Amino acid sequence: MWYLTLVLLVALVMVAGKRGVVIFSSLAGSFLLLLTLIMLIADEFNPLIVGIIFAILLVFLAIYPQTQNPQVRRSALVSTLLVLIGLFLLVLLLVPCTASQGFSLEDTEEIEQFVLSVGVSFPQIQMVVILLSSLGAVAEASIAVSSGIWEIIAYQPQISVHNLWQAGLEIGRKNIATALNTLLFGFFGSYLTLGLWLIQLHYSLVTIFNNGILVTAVVGLLLGILGVIVVVLITNCYILWYYQHHKLAADK
């Protein structure tokens, strides 16, 4: 693992120069935040409270080091945080309905040697896991869309609101396609062995659709896709509002 980490750092420095060190530091900071989150939940802190606090910290850590333009940074932060709140509310509503928290039968062999009375809320942990798993794609989409729109404004300061909206949607469509591929490939790569397990052991469709691991993964995937789509629209709307408001103020 240490060799791969060193290779990652060298590759980032070769490609991005000093920015590569900043990006690597951001990744290391995110890892430490997640490790701290795990330790706090293990110490019986409320998973939802510490989860939402650390999710906000992770959003700041993902966006601030990646962007130098303050306008890009502001619009990406606002749109990502708004989507984060929306996803949190959806998770609160959807996860109790799935009843897929905790361990499934496929985990029995690995956990049978451990004490299972850990004293934490597995539904709340599942909510935190689903929320955090969608943050990366949402933050990445907001940065990409925000950077593209503000670059258009920089080169065409007199562009109309209608044309800017259309340009923003076009940028958003391309980023949505990329983000969807990333989420889908990550999903299939992570749960390929589970799929082979279910097929080889001839699980029925009812059993497959009620498998706790699969349900949690699918819910996380769908919320991640929804978050990417919504963050594109919110980023466009926020930048258009900001652009139109400041344009009118400048004209006065």
Side-chain angles (χ1 to χ4, degrees), residues 1 45 61 95 107 115 119 122 127 129 142 163 178 182 202 218 227:
M1 184 183 74
F45 283 80
L61 196 57
V95 169
D107 298 315
V115 178
F122 282 103
M127 295 177 190
V129 169
S142 67
N163 290 337
T178 303
T182 302
H202 305 290
V218 171

Side-chain angles (χ1 to χ4, degrees), residues 68-114:
Q68 295 178 318
N69 188 322
Q71 294 173 323
V72 173
R73 184 182 297 166
R74 183 192 307 112
S75 53
L77 275 175
V78 170
S79 57
T80 304
L81 290 176
L82 288 175
V83 172
L84 174 64
I85 295 172
L87 289 178
F88 180 68
L89 296 177
L90 278 177
V91 165
L92 288 178
L93 293 174
L94 292 178
V95 169
C97 299
T98 63
S100 58
Q101 69 276 358
F103 300 104
S104 65
L105 293 176
E106 290 75 21
D107 298 315
T108 304
E109 183 178 349
E110 286 78 10
I111 65 174
E112 62 183 1
Q113 58 185 324
F114 299 107

Side-chain angles (χ1 to χ4, degrees), residues 214-242:
L214 187 62
V215 169
T216 301
V218 171
V219 171
L221 174 65
L222 294 178
L223 287 179
I225 294 173
L226 178 63
V228 169
I229 296 173
V230 173
V231 82
V232 167
L233 296 175
I234 291 180
T235 304
N236 277 339
C237 292
Y238 175 79
I239 295 177
L240 282 177
W241 171 82
Y242 187 89

Side-chain angles (χ1 to χ4, degrees), residues 136-158:
V138 172
E140 180 184 354
S142 67
I143 293 173
V145 174
S146 181
S147 300
I149 297 176
W150 281 112
E151 188 172 353
I152 291 175
I153 295 174
Y155 282 99
Q156 302 181 44
Q158 301 302 320

Side-chain angles (χ1 to χ4, degrees), residues 39-69:
M39 291 189 294
L40 289 176
I41 294 177
D43 286 336
E44 300 186 9
F45 283 80
N46 187 292
L48 289 180
I49 295 176
V50 297
I52 193 67
I53 292 174
F54 275 78
I56 294 173
L57 293 176
L58 287 169
V59 168
F60 275 84
L61 196 57
I63 292 177
Y64 260 82
Q66 312 296 336
T67 56
Q68 295 178 318
N69 188 322

